[in-house]
Amino acid sequence: MLNRRQMKEARQEAILSSLSRLGFASRSQLQRIHNLGGDRNACRVLSDLIDYVNWFRDGENVYYLNKRGAERVGANRVLNRNQNYRHTLMRNDLYIWLGQPAEWKNEQIVEVPGKFKIVADAFFIDNHGRPYFVEIDREQKMFENRKKIDSYKRLKEIGALQKRFGNFPRLIWVTMSEVRRQKLAKWCDEAVLKADVYLWTDIRNH
């Protein structure tokens, strides 16, 4: 049976590992992922990690691994604060909302040699073995989103993923407005791609 110190260290390792996997994470996201209880307790737990993380304020504290934290959990890279962190936080909200799928990979590259490649914001397989691609539309230009959908259509037409999974992965989009949601849903339908398109406010407030 673990003693109190060992339990604390195990929880710290788990939180740091989450930051390694997610990149950036807000206090409330880590609070939900690791069942840290109320705000006061969550802040206390996270303050104990000060030697291993950097943080900044954006409504609440946002954390990411520093060099020492990356070394502790064997992370491949050390992040610098950048404007893409809000895109990452949106993706985290979906990850949490979906129940934290075990087989979840951020920035998944799918390449057809000599033809093209797609970098999905995430890829995961649910508990029933069904594959999904994730796309986060925060401030992306709509013509870029259309190009991404066209690339998924081409990938489906090649058929390689159907041979692997039985079906082409379903797309999940998270976007910022109802107008964008309707356009993305329409384009996916026209491309004969199965897709679910959610508003970030619905995911975040769930």
Side-chain angles (χ1 to χ4, degrees), residues 108-153:
Q108 180 66 44
I109 299 174
V110 182
E111 187 169 7
V112 179
K115 295 184 179 180
F116 68 100
K117 72 175 181 180
I118 298 174
V119 183
D121 285 326
F123 173 82
F124 73 95
I125 299 174
D126 69 13
N127 293 333
H128 302 287
R130 294 173 298 206
Y132 295 81
F133 285 120
V134 169
E135 291 294 336
I136 304 298
D137 169 43
R138 185 175 180 276
E139 294 180 336
Q140 183 81 293
K141 294 178 180 178
M142 287 305 285
F143 80 86
E144 292 291 349
N145 289 331
R146 184 62 185 264
K147 285 171 59 179
K148 198 71 170 285
I149 290 171
D150 289 342
S151 292
Y152 280 119
K153 179 182 179 181

Side-chain angles (χ1 to χ4, degrees), residues 24-26 29 58 62 84-94 200:
F24 298 93
S26 68
Q29 290 174 343
D58 185 10
V62 176
N84 288 330
Y85 73 86
R86 288 178 176 164
H87 180 276
T88 300
L89 297 182
M90 281 181 67
R91 181 172 59 195
N92 294 350
D93 284 334
L94 179 66
W200 179 48

Side-chain angles (χ1 to χ4, degrees), residues 127-192:
N127 293 333
H128 302 287
R130 294 173 298 206
Y132 295 81
F133 285 120
V134 169
E135 291 294 336
I136 304 298
D137 169 43
R138 185 175 180 276
E139 294 180 336
Q140 183 81 293
K141 294 178 180 178
M142 287 305 285
F143 80 86
E144 292 291 349
N145 289 331
R146 184 62 185 264
K147 285 171 59 179
K148 198 71 170 285
I149 290 171
D150 289 342
S151 292
Y152 280 119
K153 179 182 179 181
R154 290 174 63 196
L155 184 61
K156 181 181 179 182
E157 290 170 348
I158 290 171
L161 294 185
Q162 292 91 313
K163 292 179 181 179
R164 180 177 176 184
F165 297 111
N167 294 291
F168 189 77
R170 193 177 187 93
L171 270 64
I172 296 180
W173 285 84
V174 180
T175 190
M176 299 290 287
S177 73
E178 179 61 23
V179 171
R180 295 171 79 93
R181 189 194 71 79
Q182 291 181 12
K183 283 185 178 180
L184 291 169
K186 178 176 180 289
W187 290 342
C188 287
D189 186 59
E190 290 173 348
V192 196

